[in-house]
Amino acid sequence: MKEMNGLDNQEVVTDVPSNYEELKSSANRSANWRERLNAVEELGNWKNQKSIDILLHRLNTDAVHQVREAAYHKLRAFGEDVQMPERRKGELMKDVSKVLLRIKKSLPRDHKYEDFKDKLKKMRIDIYDTYEGDKGDEFDSWLQQTWSSLLRR
């Protein structure tokens, strides 16, 4: 079934997509914000309760602002009464500063920023991915500043 979306005259399909289970998994993949964003965009083309439920979950719980904002726009296009999400301040994930300090302490005293960045990506892709998605172009400068401000051994 198809209907026209009043906001941007985009056609919205009300059936469930054939790849719904795959999109559901992608929307909940914690270590890949781009995959979650793509799933939100795709689910936003299918106006049904299952898609709406996933979009609401992303809107209310995703750590990456870009994903929450995309879910908001898709839900608004469906006519849902939702509020624009505010950008979260502080730590996006629990105990991030402790994890980052542990990673820094696990490296040799004279390690370089790139060593720290690589180890973070290998050990905690969920943290790396979440902050990369949320910080965007400012990610490297944020991570380097965070790395240099972590307590020395």
Side-chain angles (χ1 to χ4, degrees):
M1 214 159 103
K2 298 179 181 183
E3 63 182 58
M4 293 303 284
N5 171 338
L7 293 179
D8 56 11
N9 290 329
Q10 181 181 2
E11 200 174 88
V12 177
V13 183
T14 55
D15 297 335
V16 176
S18 60
N19 62 340
Y20 170 77
E21 289 302 323
E22 182 182 320
L23 289 171
K24 181 179 174 183
S25 293
S26 293
N28 292 308
R29 189 137 303 124
S30 65
N32 193 331
W33 72 271
R34 286 177 184 88
E35 192 171 338
R36 293 194 312 274
L37 180 61
N38 289 337
V40 163
E41 295 292 340
E42 177 67 23
L43 287 166
N45 296 322
W46 299 83
K47 184 179 179 182
N48 59 67
Q49 196 56 52
K50 287 181 174 186
S51 293
I52 290 170
D53 290 345
I54 292 172
L55 293 173
L56 283 169
H57 186 68
R58 286 297 102 215
L59 172 68
N60 294 319
T61 65
D62 207 287
V64 176
H65 184 75
Q66 198 173 340
V67 176
R68 288 195 323 274
E69 192 172 20
Y72 163 79
H73 288 296
K74 293 299 184 177
L75 288 163
R76 288 294 300 207
F78 286 166
E80 296 293 312
D81 183 21
V82 291
Q83 299 300 311
M84 174 68 104
E86 289 185 25
R87 184 171 287 281
R88 294 181 178 153
K89 294 175 175 62
E91 289 189 354
L92 302 177
M93 299 172 77
K94 185 176 168 55
D95 296 329
V96 166
S97 53
K98 290 178 185 177
V99 171
L100 296 177
L101 181 59
R102 238 178 284 143
I103 290 172
K104 184 169 184 171
K105 284 183 171 184
S106 74
L107 291 164
R109 183 184 290 270
D110 62 346
H111 73 272
K112 306 286 186 241
Y113 163 70
E114 289 300 324
D115 300 327
F116 173 78
K117 183 179 175 182
D118 290 343
K119 188 156 187 180
L120 171 62
K121 193 172 187 176
K122 287 177 187 160
M123 289 183 64
R124 291 298 304 267
I125 187 66
D126 58 331
I127 291 173
Y128 185 96
D129 186 78
T130 296
Y131 280 86
E132 179 195 38
D134 195 70
K135 302 289 183 192
D137 293 339
E138 299 169 10
F139 173 71
D140 264 319
S141 60
W142 168 83
L143 186 60
Q144 191 159 14
Q145 180 182 352
T146 302
W147 167 75
S148 63
S149 69
L150 290 170
L151 294 174
R152 306 280 182 247
R153 280 194 196 190

